[in-house]
Amino acid sequence: MRILVITPTARENESMVAKLSGAGATRHSYTVLRSGVGKAAAAANTALAVACADRKFDMIAVVGYVAGTLGFHQGDIVVPQVARYHDCNGIPEGFVPELTDPYPLAGNEPITVFTGDTFVDATTVRSIKQRFGAECAIFDMEITAIAIAAKECGGIPVVAVKMISDVPEDGHTDQTFDEFADSHPDFSPILQRLEAL
C-alpha cells in the first residue's frame, strides 16, 4: 500500500523520518509530509501533496502527538474511528454539514478525535465532552481538516495513529506536552500500527 504520512510539526516529522530511515524493509511504501500546524495549513498541504504526486496514494496517515481525556496515559497509541471539529460553535446541525458533520476514519477504536485551531486545557476538554456527549476522546489541530481534504481529493481513506502526550484533565499543560515529546521521539509504536494496516 502507498501511504502519505502527514506529520504536523517539525519534531514529529523528524521522528517519523528517522524511524523509517532506520526501519529497513517495510510492508508499505511511505511518503512523509510535514503539513504545518492548524486546519488551513494541514488541508492545503494535504491537497497539494495529493495533486502533485506521481501516483495515487492508497491511504493518508496522520501521525504524531495528541491530547487525551481522562483514562488515557502518556505514551498510549490511539487509532480513532471518527473525526470532527470542536470549534464550530453556534452553527445549527445540518446547516453547514462540512463543518458540523463527523468524518469517518480508517481506525479501529470507537474514539472521536476533535479538531480545532486552539490548544485545549482541562476546562475546554470538559466543555467539549459535555457538548458532544463524549467521555473518551482525543484532541488535535489537523485531522478533521485532512479528512475533508482527502474526501475532496477523490475519497482517499484517512487513518490517524497518535501517541498521547498529555491529559489536560490530569493537570497537564503545554509544558507537559513539550517535555513528553522531547523525551519520546521514538515512533516505533506508530510505525508498528501503520505496518499492521
Side-chain angles (χ1 to χ4, degrees):
M1 188 159 41
R2 191 161 185 254
I3 301 177
L4 173 63
V5 179
I6 297 181
T7 59
T9 69
R11 177 165 38 194
E12 291 162 329
N13 189 270
E14 289 165 11
S15 292
M16 194 68 217
V17 168
K19 185 66 229 169
L20 285 169
S21 297
T26 56
R27 181 177 173 212
H28 304 301
S29 167
Y30 300 99
T31 300
V32 182
L33 166 74
R34 179 180 169 230
S35 68
V37 175
K39 297 184 292 191
N45 286 313
T46 297
L48 183 62
V50 170
C52 294
D54 57 351
R55 287 189 299 127
K56 186 179 181 219
F57 291 107
D58 301 301
M59 181 170 282
I60 294 172
V62 190
V63 306
Y65 305 106
V66 71
T69 52
L70 285 172
F72 286 115
H73 302 93
Q74 289 179 298
D76 287 348
I77 302 296
V78 185
V79 188
Q81 288 181 336
V82 176
R84 69 184 312 164
Y85 288 133
H86 70 75
D87 60 352
C88 295
N89 299 338
I91 300 173
E93 186 134 356
F95 186 69
V96 187
E98 55 265 41
L99 294 179
T100 58
D101 282 4
Y103 288 83
L105 299 175
N108 59 1
E109 298 174 42
I111 295 167
T112 297
V113 54
F114 289 99
T115 299
D117 276 328
T118 55
F119 289 115
V120 295
D121 58 19
T123 302
T124 312
V125 168
R126 284 191 290 269
S127 172
I128 293 167
K129 285 167 63 173
Q130 182 177 22
R131 204 169 67 208
F132 292 95
E135 275 307 306
C136 186
I138 59 174
F139 306 88
D140 90 315
M141 299 175 75
E142 296 84 22
I143 294 171
T144 305
I146 290 168
I148 293 171
K151 181 180 178 184
E152 296 298 322
C153 291
I156 304 168
V158 176
V159 67
V161 182
K162 291 287 195 164
M163 183 184 297
I164 300 291
S165 56
D166 55 296
V167 180
E169 293 164 290
D170 266 344
H172 293 169
T173 64
D174 340 356
Q175 186 175 347
T176 309
F177 163 81
D178 273 334
E179 289 169 355
F180 180 85
D182 285 344
S183 61
H184 291 78
D186 183 6
F187 275 23
S188 295
I190 290 174
L191 181 56
Q192 287 169 7
R193 292 292 187 100
L194 292 177
E195 286 287 273
L197 293 173

